[in-house]
């Protein structure tokens, strides 16, 4: 029991604490943006920040749930463990892909403003709504390329096939 509690303290609590702070900051940002005038809220950077806050909020909820699922707190059968792993890792990947794509969208927008490519901004404005569908496609691709093989009941771990992260590396590049 002492070993399990030590693992819990070292793996789960930091994730839960950091995620709690992230949830608070995302909700604060969402509230502040919501209180802006509609004309200001319609600007692309404000929309990007709201979108990023929502994607990060989803990530900040998914990560501690996945961390708790793979901790000694949860004791389940192999079948239930596998379903939980697939569900929570899919949610985590979806939120992470959406967050990375939103950050990239912000960077592209700032680059367009920096180089005074004003004609690109309306086109960029229209692509914001495609981030979640692209994130869904990338998540499905991640699960196809790298399927969960099983759930290790003794170690409380989701077990993947080898090659983990190739799609993530491709998206980041």
């Amino acid at each position: 029991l002492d070993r399990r509690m030590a693992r819990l303290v070292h793996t789960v609590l930091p994730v839960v604490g950091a995620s709690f702070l992230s949830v608070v900051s995302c909700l604060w940002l969402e509230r502040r943006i919501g209180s802006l005038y509609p004309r200001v809220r319609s600007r692309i950077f404000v929309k990007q920040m709201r979108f990023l806050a929502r994607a990060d909020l989803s990530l900040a909820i998914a990560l501690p749930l996945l961390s708790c699922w793979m901790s000694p707190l949860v004791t389940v059968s192999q079948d239930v463990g596998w379903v939980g792993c697939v569900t929570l890792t899919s949610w985590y990947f979806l939120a992470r892909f959406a967050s990375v794509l939103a950050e990239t969208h912000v960077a592209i927008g700032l680059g367009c403003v920096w180089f005074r490519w004003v004609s690109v901004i309306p086109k960029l404005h229209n692509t914001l709504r495609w981030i979640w569908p692209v994130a869904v496609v990338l998540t499905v691709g991640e699960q196809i390329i790298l399927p969960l093989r099983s759930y290790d009941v003794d170690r409380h771990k989701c077990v993947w096939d080898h090659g983990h992260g190739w799609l993530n590396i491709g998206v980041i590049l």
Side-chain angles (χ1 to χ4, degrees):
L1 187 62
D2 293 331
R3 177 186 268 171
R4 291 174 81 183
M5 289 308 289
R7 181 172 169 224
L8 177 70
V9 168
H10 292 310
T11 59
V12 176
L13 291 182
V15 171
V16 171
S19 293
F20 173 75
L21 294 174
S22 187
V23 165
V24 169
S25 63
C26 288
L27 292 174
W28 177 84
L29 185 60
E30 180 69 32
R31 185 169 181 252
R32 295 295 298 173
I33 290 173
S35 67
L36 295 173
Y37 291 111
R39 198 172 117 230
V40 175
R41 278 196 314 253
S42 68
R43 293 183 181 162
I44 187 161
F45 184 71
V46 175
K47 282 187 170 187
Q48 288 171 327
M49 288 295 103
R50 185 174 234 179
F51 191 94
L52 183 58
R54 290 175 179 171
D56 283 348
L57 179 64
S58 182
L59 183 61
I61 294 170
L63 184 58
L65 289 177
L66 181 60
S67 183
C68 288
W69 187 256
M70 294 193 306
S71 74
L73 288 174
V74 178
T75 305
V76 294
S77 69
Q78 186 154 359
D79 293 337
V80 173
W82 184 82
V83 170
C85 281
V86 168
T87 304
L88 291 173
T89 57
S90 295
W91 180 7
Y92 169 74
F93 284 135
L94 176 66
R96 193 170 93 189
F97 283 133
S99 182
V100 168
L101 291 170
E103 291 166 359
T104 305
H105 201 275
V106 170
I108 291 169
L110 291 173
C112 289
V113 169
W114 179 265
F115 291 110
R116 301 180 201 278
W117 297 336
V118 184
S119 62
V120 178
I121 298 297
K123 294 176 185 85
L124 194 62
H125 197 74
N126 292 331
T127 61
L128 192 60
R129 66 176 147 238
W130 289 100
I131 290 178
W132 281 108
V134 170
V136 167
V137 169
L138 291 171
T139 302
V140 169
E142 179 82 24
Q143 295 295 356
I144 290 171
I145 291 171
L146 185 66
L148 278 167
R149 192 174 57 213
S150 64
Y151 175 74
D152 188 343
V153 177
D154 297 328
R155 293 179 31 218
H156 303 279
K157 292 283 184 193
C158 301
V159 180
W160 283 273
D161 285 336
H162 296 290
H164 179 61
W166 288 109
L167 187 60
N168 293 330
I169 293 169
V171 168
I172 291 170
L173 292 178

